[in-house]
Amino acid sequence: MKSIFAKAVVASLAVGFASETIAEEWNVSLWGKRRAFTEHVEKLAELVSEKTGGEFTLNISYGGLSKNRENLDGISIGAFEMAQFCAGYHRDKNPSITVLELPFLGVSTLEEEVAVSHAVYGHPAVQADLGRWNAKLLMTSPMPQYNIVGTGEARDALAEFDGMRVRATGGIGQAFSAVGAVPTSVTATEAYNAMESGVVDTVAFAQHAHFAYRTIDQATWWTANLNPGTVNCPVVVNVDAYEGLSDAHREALDSSVDEAIAHYLANYGEVLAKWDSVLAEKGVAKVELPEAEIAKFREVAAGPIRDKWIADMTAQGLPAQELYDLVMSTLEAERSK
């Protein structure tokens, strides 16, 4: 009888352990400091913990796990389970998503940026491209159109961009190069020092980054309507870590993405709302280029850079035209809602 009872107890405990969800901790590699650009990751961590009763946690590190240019490499070897990076930091490693960094795509709102990014992320060729790094695209980090801050006399005509040293990456850097500027791809965290030391004359960022990296503190002017494009910065997860999650934890993660993005958009709206008042407070002049100058910029940069991108990416075996068309059709569909 004792033997039968003991076996029954062991069996009962085994069933209990089998049905219990194993606690999971993921390390998340970001950089800089907490800011509008990272609010969706912060919200994701909060939601995942809530939905799993604290059994699944995301430990967010700002620069403690990796340099920003090395986050994709860290994901590939499983050094951490989740990371954020920007396509322009290493275009050769993620060529497919650089379609989203082409200049003058016509994306005008953060909601449109989310729509086109996630459409591209869902394309099989893009998933295979990032899969080379054992990375699964989870969500975008939508940013508005970039504009530049500068010191000295304001530049309000394309001719004045000739020789201008500008911190700009990806397609934005190519656009500035097309009008005679000299782009440099220093990282966001290096931008302030580059501006302060005179390595660059101007810095191209979205508004939150001008706040976060204090370039606005050195600026005397800001272009309000240049809008050449933006950068694309996905959040990715390690494929093995993702597939190793329990069904409940994977569902908690996947189901939290839309809410995390919604939180990001609401928070970013607050950043944009206070932008003009900060410019006024710091005495930064708002420069608006004439529409004729913007049209000239678009003519010089948009078509040629797009066509070269399509040719180059097609030569690499990517369905480049299909990816570009996907961006355009998604943008059209988003605007017809």
Side-chain angles (χ1 to χ4, degrees):
M1 285 294 292
K2 287 182 179 179
S3 175
I4 293 174
F5 178 74
K7 289 179 179 179
V9 170
V10 170
S12 176
L13 288 172
V15 170
F17 287 137
S19 61
E20 184 178 333
T21 303
I22 299 174
E24 186 87 43
E25 287 190 27
W26 274 15
N27 290 318
V28 184
S29 182
L30 309 181
W31 66 88
K33 62 182 181 181
R34 182 171 180 172
R35 58 204 187 280
F37 180 67
T38 63
E39 275 305 302
H40 56 332
V41 183
E42 295 280 358
K43 185 64 174 180
L44 188 74
E46 177 187 318
L47 291 169
V48 165
S49 180
E50 287 177 358
K51 290 179 179 181
T52 63
E55 289 292 337
F56 184 14
T57 56
L58 306 181
N59 299 322
I60 298 174
S61 171
Y62 286 92
L65 297 173
S66 174
K67 295 180 180 178
N68 46 11
R69 290 183 184 271
E70 298 171 3
N71 271 345
L72 188 55
D73 299 282
I75 284 289
S76 71
I77 62 173
F80 34 80
E81 291 78 17
M82 183 183 292
Q84 188 177 36
F85 67 88
C86 295
Y89 283 168
H90 34 60
R91 299 171 64 79
D92 56 323
K93 292 181 180 179
N94 42 242
S96 61
I97 61 174
T98 59
V99 65
L100 295 161
E101 295 193 337
L102 289 173
F104 296 106
L105 283 175
V107 177
S108 57
T109 69
L110 293 181
E111 289 79 7
E112 290 175 357
E113 185 66 33
V114 172
V116 297
S117 293
H118 287 178
V120 168
Y121 293 175
H123 193 286
V126 176
Q127 294 176 352
D129 182 22
L130 272 297
R132 295 179 298 133
W133 304 97
N134 208 25
K136 173 183 170 57
L137 291 151
L138 186 68
M139 61 181 176
T140 190
S141 309
M143 285 183 284
Q145 294 289 295
Y146 270 36
N147 272 279
I148 58 176
V149 298
T151 57
E153 189 173 344
R155 303 176 191 240
D156 57 4
L158 285 192
E160 296 170 353
F161 289 0
D162 189 32
M164 179 183 75
R165 295 165 300 171
V166 57
R167 184 275 173 194
T169 63
I172 300 172
Q174 291 178 307
F176 280 115
S177 181
V179 293
V182 182
T184 177
S185 59
V186 297
T187 65
T189 51
E190 299 167 325
Y192 181 90
N193 288 338
M195 197 174 184
E196 184 179 44
S197 63
V199 171
V200 298
D201 306 307
T202 57
V203 171
F205 272 152
Q207 287 91 329
H208 80 274
H210 284 303
F211 280 142
Y213 297 110
R214 298 175 47 229
T215 49
I216 194 65
D217 293 344
Q218 298 189 52
T220 56
W221 55 273
W222 146 268
T223 59
N225 66 334
L226 199 56
N227 300 337
T230 190
V231 298
N232 193 260
C233 302
V235 175
V236 295
V237 298
N238 175 275
V239 170
D240 296 329
Y242 179 81
E243 293 180 348
L245 290 173
S246 67
D247 290 345
H249 287 176
R250 193 180 305 111
E251 168 61 20
L253 180 66
D254 291 343
S255 67
S256 297
V257 168
D258 287 347
E259 189 173 346
I261 288 287
H263 170 77
Y264 178 108
L265 295 178
N267 183 75
Y268 211 108
E270 296 176 7
V271 173
L272 296 178
K274 68 179 182 180
W275 179 248
D276 283 345
S277 63
V278 171
L279 291 180
E281 175 189 323
K282 295 182 179 295
V284 178
K286 184 187 292 188
V287 174
E288 296 202 16
L289 278 74
E291 182 52 42
E293 292 292 290
I294 301 294
K296 192 188 306 181
F297 195 7
R298 189 179 298 112
E299 180 182 355
V300 170
I305 291 173
R306 176 199 62 216
D307 293 345
K308 186 177 188 308
W309 183 88
I310 291 174
D312 290 348
M313 294 302 107
T314 299
Q316 291 185 33
L318 287 171
Q321 185 67 56
E322 185 177 328
L323 291 174
Y324 178 78
D325 291 344
L326 176 60
V327 172
M328 293 297 103
S329 62
T330 303
L331 188 55
E332 183 179 355
E334 183 69 14
R335 289 176 174 173
S336 65
K337 286 183 179 178

